Amino acid sequence: MNMENYLVYSKSVLDDLSKKFENLSFKYFIQDIGVKISVFVVHGSYSNLENGNNWRTISEEIALKFQSKITSKDDKWNLYIIYACSEKVDKDLKAKIENDKFSSRKIVDDNINQELNEELVNNLIKRHITHSDLIDIVDNTETKLEEVYVPNDPNIWSIIPNNKLVSGNLELQKNMIKQLKACCNEN
């Protein structure tokens, strides 16, 4: 099946879901990252998603009206549903949805208070599916040069022995504690 067919089938599914769940919004995206990934995004409140297990009904409709038409096993495997909730999602419900093995891989993201647009969905796909945001994170992370640590009180650091095993040596530990207490009493 070619990408145009995916778009035709997805439009039908989106229309049906939008009529059935008026308080939720739906989008479909397809990306080719070496393999085709199909992503349905459902956006709305936590209660509208949870109410009557709407998330499950949505998943079943996508499986019946979209996934069943896909002939490629790879393309069937790479079907995702992202539930983007406008508020915090209960961790038990999140786990229940994400661990549901029926039809597609499911992702729940919460506190998504902006309108669904291509940039937001691309960021969700990067963060949850392709993990290509890790490249951005690494590229934007400045490497910190090793600095010489200068302690506030050099006397404390002089108490800790160099090249000696402190663990298991009770006498050494007692002596260190005694010296630390003396050092603290001086300040």
Side-chain angles (χ1 to χ4, degrees), residues 34-61:
V35 294
K36 284 185 219 118
I37 60 169
S38 293
V39 182
F40 284 89
V41 182
V42 182
H43 183 257
S45 74
Y46 163 74
S47 60
N48 285 328
L49 193 62
E50 179 187 38
N51 186 23
N53 282 328
N54 284 343
W55 67 269
R56 186 180 308 276
T57 304
I58 292 165
S59 172
E60 290 168 355
E61 292 231 3

Side-chain angles (χ1 to χ4, degrees), residues 96-178:
K96 182 178 180 181
I97 293 170
E98 290 182 343
N99 290 313
D100 180 59
K101 302 295 182 212
F102 178 73
S103 85
S104 56
R105 296 190 233 177
K106 297 158 196 73
I107 298 160
V108 179
D109 202 336
D110 47 19
N111 297 316
I112 307 292
N113 293 312
Q114 64 190 79
E115 187 177 324
L116 282 182
N117 59 39
E118 193 167 341
E119 181 183 0
L120 171 63
V121 173
N122 281 331
N123 286 335
L124 291 170
I125 290 170
K126 280 181 176 182
R127 186 174 42 219
H128 295 291
I129 299 171
T130 64
H131 303 289
S132 57
D133 63 325
L134 296 177
I135 295 167
D136 295 337
I137 291 169
V138 170
D139 287 345
N140 293 327
T141 302
E142 292 183 37
T143 56
K144 185 175 179 173
L145 298 175
E146 189 175 322
E147 297 175 7
V148 175
Y149 177 72
V150 179
N152 289 337
D153 186 348
N155 292 329
I156 291 177
W157 288 102
S158 67
I159 295 169
I160 300 173
N162 290 333
N163 301 325
K164 288 190 179 177
L165 183 61
V166 176
S167 177
N169 188 334
L170 287 174
E171 278 306 307
L172 185 57
Q173 291 173 14
K174 286 179 186 176
N175 188 29
M176 286 173 52
I177 292 171
K178 184 178 173 183

Side-chain angles (χ1 to χ4, degrees), residues 78-94:
N78 289 307
L79 173 62
Y80 295 84
I81 303 173
I82 298 176
Y83 298 97
C85 294
S86 53
E87 64 274 316
K88 183 94 175 119
V89 177
D90 175 74
K91 69 179 182 177
D92 291 334
L93 178 64
K94 186 175 184 176

